[in-house]
Amino acid sequence: MWSRILRVAMLTALWGLGDLQVTTTVKPGRGKGSNWWGIAKAGEPNNLIPRSPGMVYMDPSVLTNLRKKQKRLVRENPGVFLAVSKGANMAIQECQHQFKNRRWNCSTRNFFRGKNLFGKIVDKGCRETAFIYAITSAAVTHAVARGCSEGSIESCTCDYSHQGRGTHVPPNAVTGIRDWEWGGCSDNIGFGYKFSREFVDAGEKGRNVREKMNLHNNEAGRAHVASEMRQECKCHGMSGSCTTRTCWMRLPNFRVVGDNLKDKFDGASRILVTNAESETGKGLSRRKRNRYKSNLLPHNPEHKPPGSMDLVYMDPSPPFCEKNPQLGILGTSGRMCNETSIGLDGCDLMCCSRGYRTQEMIVIERCGCTFQWCCEVKCNICRIKKNIHTCL
Amino acid sequence: MPGVILENLSGRKLFVLVSVLMVLLVACFLIGGLVAPPPSNAEHFIAIKCFDYDNTSWFYTRGEGRCNEYNLHYHIDIENDQIADKVVFVFQIPTPKDNIILDYSRWQQNLIGVLSFEIMYDGVFEMPNDVLLTMDVKLGYRNRGDKDYDWKLYASSTVERHLDCSIGTKKKEYNYNCSIVPLFELGSLHHDYYLLNIRFPVDQKTQINTNLGDLEDLGLVAINQNGGFTVVWLILKTTFFPLIILTMMWFWNRVHQLKRSPVLLEYMILSLGGTLTLLNAPFEWLTLYFDLPFMPLFIDIRQGIFYASLLSFWLVFAGEHLMINDPQPHHLSIYVKHLSAVAIGCISLLIFDLFEKGSQVTNPFYSIWVTSLGTNLALTFIICAGISASIYFIFLCYMIWKVFCNINVKRSSLPSMSSVRRLHYEGIIYRFKFLMLATLTCAAMTVIGFILDQVSDGRWKWDEHIEIEYTSAFLTGVYGMWNIYILALIILYSPSHKQWPSDVDLISSAGDEIELSRISANEPNEISLLTSLAKKVSGD
């Protein structure tokens, strides 16, 4: 059995070498901050290759996809690469989960052909792109905060300033004990937020309306993670009474963040393309300060301007029915659909009224499983006759 | 005996004394609010999963010889053995921050560990609402300077806990909402680094952990006292400790200067001061040098003794002002019936605490709430304590009501006295009520402060720059308040040595400056003027 594992490990390593020949071109349309998504394919987790927590396991080619600032961040924060990689994978999984019943199903492309991970769809500033940016940014925030909690990122910062003690009575003067001993620290989400801003927004200067859209959606994704933090408390006073109580914030389950972002996707606001362009002329000096404070105007002047948690887009979505190589759209031909549903996964809508094929197939499924909390699900194998509908 | 200081103090002097004490109280509140950090800090850790390939003794995630992270979703089938038994959830705390390897400091006093579960609903198997978990837990420690692999065993145990989970949206791949599960309490945070290895073994035959759902993540919330709070708290205690001792010595000295043996109320005041001194004694300094896991139990017991003596004092105080026509010197024995409620309440809490915290001295994973017998036992003791507390307060209120009735009866006979004497008596009654009022104010402030603490989220913004750490301010404020209350009690109720002026002198002295005085002092065993007042009036 061990020999088998070793063989697989070697294969994986070889596959990894294949990645070395990556070259990327940056499309001018999409903003330059999106190439880091490729990290998702770098550290795909498996148990075949022993990996220590926090260890940077990657092939160097992945780094070439990063911007200079992103490379610096990875270098300065050991352990963060793995977290970002986990985050990117989490984003892909979540996106595909949320969109599994839609015409566009968040398909990712083979990375090592030098293309963007999500395909050319991100060249267009449509809703789908808005969602991709938001979910990836949220996932990095989440994963980095998680990395801090695991202790696999050693550079997580503590915000001691809100304790406000350093200014009044310097603790060192009293007893010589350090900040952490003095007042504790639990600000992992804060670090995740800040890191995500630095890393994910690295390529977005906010100079044109597309970059502003990306920035807004990235920021919205992060805000959704922060807003879903939940407070929990424990009483530990005399004899376990509630005379002293301590509370902490718990990181949300990423599925909840995905659900909320999907809701925002459905109600995303379309913004005016022209308004931000006019602002670009004035003040490159003020750019940095105003990066997150651009006032995006709605496309329809009667609508409210988008809030900080809303997703924004500028172009209408292209039709996803037919294959469109120019936009990297696969089309719905060959997708499975649900004959009885009247929703988007129903055969009528999914197949764009082209009709569908019904086949009777024998499906092998696992059934009668005995369940254990981890890893082991002992099942019987059942053969079930099923009607499978696929779009023409 | 000419009475107690309270009765002989001029209005101005009393005002000055009360003002000084109030300033002290505000200082206690502010030192907690402005200097101290929040009392405790909670940090949320997430377990890294490791796989036990060859019965390794310790799994740790940082440093030389660390384990390899295991991904539950990409497991490989090891045919012959159960995987679940070999997955180890590892917490190595504290985690590094700002590229610095942090270690726990002894200033942080204690550590409470609480587990939080992230369990995914897989769409097929639904967990029951209440799951009995069985965990193999090992807690190890290491100190600075030790080798990375040199973990030493602190405690290990197979522990059972109840996990309550519910699911809101019953959809596949959504998580349950699970309650937090208390895991351990360390009474002394003596070492620098701690390591927790947890396993969830599965046994189909004995149905161990078979109901546990798809465990995605395990979180640990580690709660420790903040070092800064310990510093402030110890400074407060160390300040009050000699202050109360000196006051007590002064008090006892005055009592002994009298030509009579001390009365019951004086003994009560002395014992109250004594228990407060025990509470103030800053034994916590020792925890900076020695490993004292029994400290939380000791702190609870000290607090319990203090409360018992304070409650007894109130009862005796009211009682001593009630039985006005009894010429015999009083002993505590006549209050046995009254005090039994206090005794029963405190003893039941003590037994409960000895079970819970006492067991945690040797086994930090022990919890009385796990077994149904333990839960029932604990609830019995707590309910018992609650009932005795209610009985006590009803009885105390009844006694205070009777005292006030008595005062009113005596007061109705006041108009028949001369105007100077009437003024004089009214002043005394006023001052007695003043102390009653002080007690009620202290109690009310404690209760209001506590409610505010529960409602607010622990921090008040005064303005842009000043933030008040409310929880700490509340704790130091209340602690200071009861110290000051007892300090005032000892001072104001110590016997006065003033020689009393005659009625004629009284008339000649003017308005505000009147030194309130007693008229006759023929009974040596009387303490308060009120009792003699009653005698006087009944004599009249």
Side-chain angles (χ1 to χ4, degrees):
Chain A
M1 189 200 66
W2 281 107
S3 62
R4 198 190 83 199
I5 292 171
L6 277 176
R7 218 178 311 133
V8 182
M10 280 175 67
L11 279 172
T12 320
L14 283 171
W15 180 80
L17 283 172
D19 277 3
L20 273 168
Q21 283 84 42
V22 178
T23 49
T24 44
T25 49
V26 176
K27 292 269 169 162
R30 76 170 80 107
K32 294 156 199 144
S34 59
N35 279 305
W36 65 269
W37 292 337
I39 290 180
K41 298 287 177 196
E44 273 197 336
N46 59 61
N47 296 317
L48 304 178
I49 304 156
R51 179 201 292 139
S52 301
M55 190 183 100
V56 184
Y57 169 74
M58 56 171 178
D59 43 84
S61 67
V62 179
L63 275 177
T64 60
N65 290 318
L66 299 183
R67 300 181 64 81
K68 212 181 262 172
K69 183 179 183 187
Q70 290 171 330
K71 280 182 200 161
R72 178 174 58 80
L73 284 168
V74 166
R75 213 171 37 242
E76 286 172 0
N77 299 284
V80 97
F81 184 82
L82 198 65
V84 173
S85 159
K86 278 181 181 172
N89 272 302
M90 197 162 70
I92 296 171
Q93 274 174 20
E94 188 58 35
C95 181
Q96 289 178 347
H97 170 86
Q98 296 291 345
F99 285 86
K100 62 173 184 266
N101 292 331
R102 296 183 68 106
R103 285 177 187 164
W104 178 73
N105 62 351
C106 202
S107 53
T108 53
R109 327 215 64 205
N110 246 352
F111 172 68
F112 41 80
R113 276 188 224 136
K115 284 175 186 161
N116 192 287
L117 186 68
F118 290 96
K120 287 179 196 157
I121 182 79
V122 290
D123 294 346
K124 259 178 109 63
C126 58
R127 276 171 195 258
E128 284 74 14
T129 311
F131 185 84
I132 292 172
Y133 274 86
I135 197 92
T136 46
S137 161
V140 168
T141 312
H142 192 278
V144 169
R146 200 195 137 92
C148 292
S149 294
E150 283 178 343
S152 49
I153 303 173
E154 306 203 342
S155 56
C156 302
T157 51
C158 266
D159 182 16
Y160 296 111
S161 63
H162 73 267
Q163 288 154 8
R165 307 298 156 233
T167 49
H168 302 289
V169 179
N172 295 342
V174 185
T175 52
I177 65 178
R178 297 162 295 163
D179 283 342
W180 181 71
E181 283 176 69
W182 181 265
C185 159
S186 42
D187 194 31
N188 293 335
I189 184 68
F191 180 76
Y193 206 103
K194 272 180 274 176
F195 183 85
S196 172
R197 266 192 165 182
E198 296 278 308
F199 186 88
V200 176
D201 296 356
E204 320 284 350
K205 298 282 194 296
R207 276 179 300 209
N208 57 36
V209 71
R210 177 60 205 272
E211 289 192 345
K212 285 190 177 175
M213 168 189 151
N214 292 347
L215 277 178
H216 184 98
N217 291 327
N218 285 346
E219 194 73 355
R222 291 186 282 268
H224 276 274
V225 178
S227 73
E228 276 300 326
M229 298 289 287
R230 287 283 171 264
Q231 195 185 47
E232 287 182 337
C233 294
K234 157 116 178 109
C235 294
H236 51 97
M238 182 194 173
S239 304
S241 65
C242 259
T243 47
T244 38
R245 201 174 61 142
T246 307
C247 298
W248 62 91
M249 301 302 278
R250 183 163 166 179
L251 207 58
N253 180 18
F254 198 65
R255 175 57 37 85
V256 180
V257 178
D259 280 357
N260 292 351
L261 279 173
K262 176 69 188 339
D263 283 349
K264 292 291 177 188
F265 169 86
D266 292 333
S269 1
R270 187 170 173 192
I271 50 163
L272 213 54
V273 179
T274 47
N275 71 74
E277 303 278 14
S278 58
E279 283 177 31
T280 49
K282 47 181 170 180
L284 269 173
S285 57
R286 293 199 313 177
R287 164 165 51 83
K288 195 135 198 166
R289 201 164 13 119
N290 292 341
R291 201 155 77 132
Y292 296 103
K293 281 185 183 167
S294 59
N295 295 319
L296 297 168
L297 294 177
H299 186 258
N300 181 344
E302 282 169 21
H303 289 174
K304 273 196 300 183
S308 60
M309 309 271 281
D310 294 327
L311 298 189
V312 297
Y313 66 100
M314 41 194 237
D315 304 325
S317 297
F320 294 103
C321 284
E322 307 296 334
K323 191 170 174 141
N324 184 347
Q326 273 165 347
L327 284 171
I329 295 166
L330 299 169
T332 60
S333 173
R335 291 273 302 276
M336 277 199 271
C337 60
N338 185 348
E339 196 180 25
T340 50
S341 166
I342 53 160
L344 275 171
D345 60 332
C347 286
D348 266 1
L349 288 171
M350 179 66 86
C351 306
C352 311
S353 313
R354 289 189 307 261
Y356 54 94
R357 185 173 39 228
T358 305
Q359 287 170 295
E360 198 183 67
M361 285 177 128
I362 292 167
V363 183
I364 295 168
E365 277 187 355
R366 303 204 287 182
C367 57
C369 300
T370 53
F371 183 78
Q372 272 184 19
W373 68 266
C374 159
C375 321
E376 228 164 341
V377 185
K378 281 180 188 147
C379 296
N380 298 322
I381 290 173
C382 304
R383 287 161 203 276
I384 306 165
K385 264 187 196 168
K386 255 193 176 177
N387 286 326
I388 303 288
H389 314 286
T390 40
C391 292
L392 289 172
Chain B
M1 175 219 161
V4 300
I5 285 183
L6 172 70
E7 297 154 33
N8 301 321
L9 220 52
S10 74
R12 181 176 290 175
K13 279 181 185 165
L14 189 66
F15 177 75
V16 169
L17 186 73
V18 170
S19 307
V20 168
L21 293 179
M22 286 307 280
V23 168
L24 208 61
L25 173 59
V26 171
C28 286
F29 186 82
L30 288 183
I31 196 181
L34 296 177
V35 180
S40 46
N41 176 56
E43 200 170 344
H44 194 239
F45 302 103
I46 295 174
I48 288 182
K49 292 142 222 157
C50 295
F51 195 83
D52 184 5
Y53 290 100
D54 43 8
N55 294 322
T56 317
S57 59
W58 289 108
F59 294 88
Y60 47 97
T61 56
R62 290 185 299 279
E64 197 186 318
R66 61 194 170 186
C67 75
N68 297 320
E69 188 173 355
Y70 187 76
N71 192 314
L72 291 181
H73 297 287
Y74 294 83
H75 69 274
I76 36 174
D77 292 317
I78 295 179
E79 292 91 359
N80 51 353
D81 254 320
Q82 285 192 304
I83 296 180
D85 296 6
K86 305 218 160 210
V87 175
V88 187
F89 291 83
V90 180
F91 298 99
Q92 188 179 346
I93 53 174
T95 52
K97 288 276 154 71
D98 291 314
N99 289 317
I100 297 167
I101 296 177
L102 296 176
D103 57 277
Y104 282 118
S105 138
R106 289 173 191 175
W107 284 102
Q108 286 164 327
Q109 296 284 300
N110 50 36
L111 193 69
I112 298 170
V114 181
L115 291 180
S116 66
F117 290 80
E118 292 288 344
I119 298 172
M120 196 176 72
Y121 175 58
D122 66 345
V124 184
F125 168 84
E126 197 185 336
M127 267 171 71
N129 270 344
D130 178 22
V131 180
L132 184 67
L133 290 176
T134 308
M135 297 176 263
D136 280 334
V137 200
K138 258 169 95 181
L139 182 67
Y141 67 90
R142 192 163 72 80
N143 285 308
R144 255 184 302 180
D146 290 356
K147 291 274 189 313
D148 281 350
Y149 53 81
D150 195 14
W151 292 95
K152 291 171 265 294
L153 184 70
Y154 190 92
S156 75
S157 179
T158 302
V159 295
E160 293 192 330
R161 292 287 186 272
H162 287 277
L163 177 67
D164 294 318
C165 292
S166 62
I167 187 156
T169 46
K170 200 188 275 183
K171 279 193 267 177
K172 201 180 169 184
E173 292 177 12
Y174 278 70
N175 278 26
Y176 291 91
N177 297 321
C178 292
S179 60
I180 52 172
V181 176
L183 183 65
F184 65 87
E185 287 192 28
L186 287 187
S188 77
L189 198 55
H190 191 70
H191 304 288
D192 290 335
Y193 311 104
Y194 287 87
L195 179 69
L196 196 61
N197 284 357
I198 303 177
R199 298 177 198 228
F200 296 88
V202 176
D203 191 337
Q204 297 289 353
K205 274 181 223 142
T206 47
Q207 292 287 301
I208 288 174
N209 288 338
T210 45
N211 281 331
L212 184 60
D214 191 353
L215 183 56
E216 292 250 280
D217 264 319
L218 188 63
L220 174 78
V221 181
I223 303 171
N224 60 270
Q225 190 164 316
N226 273 330
F229 184 78
T230 312
V231 172
V232 170
W233 193 247
L234 277 182
I235 287 174
L236 207 64
K237 281 185 136 187
T238 316
T239 318
F240 276 118
F241 181 58
L243 198 67
I244 299 286
I245 285 186
L246 285 177
T247 321
M248 273 169 63
M249 282 163 67
W250 173 81
F251 171 80
W252 205 236
N253 193 27
R254 280 181 89 93
V255 169
H256 274 283
Q257 280 170 16
L258 299 174
K259 294 183 186 84
R260 61 166 173 85
S261 55
V263 292
L264 176 60
L265 211 50
E266 280 160 357
Y267 278 121
M268 288 307 289
I269 290 174
L270 193 75
S271 73
L272 190 60
T275 51
L276 181 65
T277 305
L278 182 67
L279 188 67
N280 281 338
F283 288 120
E284 284 89 341
W285 287 113
L286 295 178
T287 59
L288 300 182
Y289 305 100
F290 307 103
D291 187 13
L292 306 171
F294 55 83
M295 212 58 196
L297 179 67
F298 182 60
I299 289 170
D300 276 8
I301 288 176
R302 281 199 300 182
Q303 231 165 327
I305 291 174
F306 171 69
Y307 289 146
S309 96
L310 186 65
L311 296 177
S312 312
F313 171 79
W314 283 338
L315 210 65
V316 172
F317 182 78
E320 285 296 284
H321 289 85
L322 188 68
M323 288 176 239
I324 40 182
N325 286 325
D326 190 358
Q328 292 296 313
H330 294 157
H331 293 290
L332 197 58
S333 52
I334 63 164
Y335 289 104
V336 165
K337 232 184 337 180
H338 311 63
L339 293 178
S340 55
V342 178
I344 291 171
C346 287
I347 287 171
S348 14
L349 273 188
L350 174 70
I351 293 173
F352 164 72
D353 230 52
L354 280 175
F355 266 117
E356 174 90 1
K357 292 243 163 93
S359 304
Q360 279 168 359
V361 172
T362 47
N363 178 11
F365 300 109
Y366 180 84
S367 170
I368 197 170
W369 300 101
V370 174
T371 58
S372 57
L373 177 73
T375 308
N376 289 337
L377 211 65
L379 279 179
T380 313
F381 286 127
I382 288 172
I383 290 169
C384 197
I387 290 172
S388 3
S390 333
I391 291 175
Y392 168 82
F393 276 105
I394 291 168
F395 194 66
L396 184 68
C397 291
Y398 167 73
M399 285 193 54
I400 289 170
W401 177 72
K402 274 186 92 174
V403 171
F404 274 93
C405 277
N406 261 326
I407 288 175
N408 281 339
V409 168
K410 305 307 176 211
R411 196 187 257 166
S412 62
S413 55
L414 279 179
S416 59
M417 302 173 198
S418 69
S419 65
V420 178
R421 259 162 73 182
R422 197 177 66 229
L423 250 177
H424 178 60
Y425 285 139
E426 277 175 348
I428 293 157
I429 291 170
Y430 165 74
R431 271 163 216 205
F432 170 72
K433 283 186 176 172
F434 178 80
L435 207 76
M436 288 298 306
L437 198 72
T439 310
L440 284 181
T441 316
C442 286
M445 271 161 76
T446 310
V447 172
I448 291 169
F450 179 68
I451 291 169
L452 282 179
D453 185 42
Q454 299 288 308
V455 172
S456 73
D457 58 347
R459 191 172 293 132
W460 280 3
K461 239 185 154 72
W462 199 262
D463 61 18
E464 283 286 302
H465 306 291
I466 301 171
E467 272 189 4
I468 286 192
E469 200 55 63
Y470 183 75
T471 310
S472 297
F474 163 70
L475 289 174
T476 54
V478 163
Y479 191 78
M481 184 172 71
W482 288 104
N483 261 291
I484 289 163
Y485 171 84
I486 285 163
L487 193 74
L489 205 73
I490 297 174
I491 293 172
L492 294 175
Y493 274 78
S494 66
S496 172
H497 289 176
K498 267 208 174 107
Q499 289 307 307
W500 294 105
S502 65
D503 276 357
V504 188
D505 292 337
L506 256 174
I507 301 165
S508 60
S509 53
D512 209 34
E513 287 295 311
I514 286 179
E515 299 264 313
L516 286 160
S517 56
R518 280 197 41 177
I519 285 79
S520 65
N522 40 12
E523 290 288 329
N525 62 342
E526 282 166 349
I527 172 163
S528 136
L529 191 75
L530 204 75
T531 33
S532 70
L533 162 73
K535 284 217 170 96
K536 196 92 197 150
V537 174
S538 58
D540 290 348

